[in-house]
Amino acid sequence: MIELDLEVLWLPEELIPQQEAGMEVPIKDCTTRIHTFYLIAAIRPHDEKGYCDVFSNGETYTVKESYESVKQKIRNQMNFKWN
């Protein structure tokens, strides 16, 4: 098990109707909230802007960090666990 704090992109309440109508909401319009992850099943690069998708408990979260940054944080947690 790990304990990793990441800034997750969060859709503001006033933009939910826009998303539900099938319109794309630009990432720049999202806010962020800190989430603590204890289980991460997989990660992948989100786009060329340097965001990362994190898969945990059947949900996908987009975080405000690069794939490489998140990958290194997971490695650091795993190394700490085994040392």
Side-chain angles (χ1 to χ4, degrees):
M1 182 179 345
I2 61 173
E3 184 176 332
L4 193 60
D5 291 334
L6 297 171
E7 273 189 272
V8 173
L9 295 174
W10 200 261
L11 189 63
E13 208 170 295
E14 63 271 10
L15 295 178
I16 292 173
Q18 181 178 334
Q19 183 189 44
E20 288 175 346
M23 298 169 54
E24 190 170 326
V25 177
I27 285 180
K28 67 176 181 61
D29 292 342
C30 294
T31 60
T32 60
R33 293 186 183 176
I34 296 292
H35 285 51
T36 302
F37 291 90
Y38 294 97
L39 175 66
I40 294 177
I43 63 172
R44 70 173 177 210
H46 178 76
D47 59 17
E48 69 282 347
K49 293 183 177 108
Y51 296 101
C52 179
D53 289 332
V54 174
F55 300 88
S56 179
N57 200 33
E59 298 289 332
T60 304
Y61 302 89
T62 302
V63 300
K64 194 177 177 179
E65 286 190 49
S66 70
Y67 168 80
E68 288 301 326
S69 173
V70 174
K71 188 174 181 178
Q72 187 59 50
K73 286 182 175 185
I74 293 169
R75 281 185 185 142
N76 292 346
Q77 288 275 321
M78 298 306 289
N79 287 338
F80 179 74
K81 177 182 175 181
W82 294 109
N83 288 329

